[in-house]
Amino acid sequence: MKTVDALISLKDGRKIYIKSDYAIYNQLTNDAQFMGNVSITESNDIVTSDNLDLIISKNLITAYNNVKYNGEKGFLIADKVDIDILENEAS
């Protein structure tokens, strides 16, 4: 897919928005790989990266390659960030 906008709506009312230039979606697992100018936004937190994997079966988002976080907790540059979707925690 090209020029992708995705929305994850969680039971607790939180919404996670993902945008990228390209994505590959697996209809069997609902997992997706996002590539090129990736941004993920939740509330006032924004993570940008070159690549992002959404692994629904593990409730996990992995952003990697040129990762930058800007939000309520400050600013961060990293090689890789894992985000637990249900716990709303990054590692």
Side-chain angles (χ1 to χ4, degrees), residues 34-78:
F34 297 86
M35 298 149 285
N37 297 310
V38 179
S39 70
I40 179 170
T41 305
E42 181 189 359
S43 187
N44 294 323
D45 297 322
I46 300 171
V47 175
T48 60
S49 67
D50 294 335
N51 302 87
L52 184 143
D53 294 341
L54 172 62
I55 307 166
I56 294 295
S57 60
K58 295 182 180 179
N59 298 311
L60 181 67
I61 295 172
T62 300
Y64 52 98
N65 296 330
N66 196 29
V67 179
K68 295 178 184 171
Y69 164 84
N70 194 3
E72 294 179 4
K73 297 180 181 179
F75 180 77
L76 169 78
I77 296 174

Side-chain angles (χ1 to χ4, degrees), residues 72-90:
E72 294 179 4
K73 297 180 181 179
F75 180 77
L76 169 78
I77 296 174
D79 294 325
K80 177 182 171 187
V81 173
D82 290 327
I83 303 168
D84 183 321
I85 297 170
L86 297 182
E87 299 296 326
N88 195 23
E89 293 183 3

Side-chain angles (χ1 to χ4, degrees), residues 4-24:
V4 180
D5 290 312
L7 169 63
I8 302 169
S9 296
L10 302 171
K11 289 181 182 180
D12 64 3
R14 292 184 299 134
K15 295 187 185 296
I16 300 171
Y17 300 91
I18 302 172
K19 294 183 178 188
S20 71
D21 292 340
Y22 304 97
I24 298 170

